Amino acid sequence: LQDIKDSDKLGAHLTDQEKKQVEDALNDAKQWVQDHPQATKEDLQGKLEDLKHNIEPILAKAKARKALD
């Protein structure tokens, strides 16, 4: 998350909208974990996969932009 916020790292290559999408996805996942303290390992792994599915395309775009610099 810190790399997303740091302007001299990956965050510099994310649009404001992309930063918000990533932060929202992370916050939603964090809230879900807090709301489900009895979640099983499988539940948590599923939630992690959902999170990756949501943010990996955004981060991939930012990494591609960074590589062009």
Side-chain angles (χ1 to χ4, degrees):
L1 182 58
Q2 192 60 41
D3 284 351
I4 294 168
K5 292 181 179 181
D6 288 345
S7 60
D8 61 333
K9 295 189 180 177
L10 191 57
H13 303 281
L14 289 167
T15 66
D16 289 341
Q17 180 182 358
E18 289 169 335
K19 285 180 188 178
K20 181 168 179 5
Q21 288 174 312
V22 171
E23 288 178 0
D24 287 350
L26 291 169
N27 288 334
D28 288 347
K30 180 180 175 183
Q31 186 63 50
W32 184 91
V33 170
Q34 290 173 347
D35 291 345
H36 298 87
Q38 302 300 323
T40 65
K41 180 180 175 181
E42 291 78 18
D43 292 336
L44 294 170
Q45 288 174 330
K47 196 63 175 173
L48 178 59
E49 289 303 314
D50 290 346
L51 178 62
K52 286 180 182 180
H53 177 77
N54 288 328
I55 65 171
E56 282 182 347
I58 297 168
L59 298 180
K61 288 181 200 175
K63 288 177 185 178
R65 288 183 205 124
K66 184 176 180 182
L68 295 175
D69 282 351

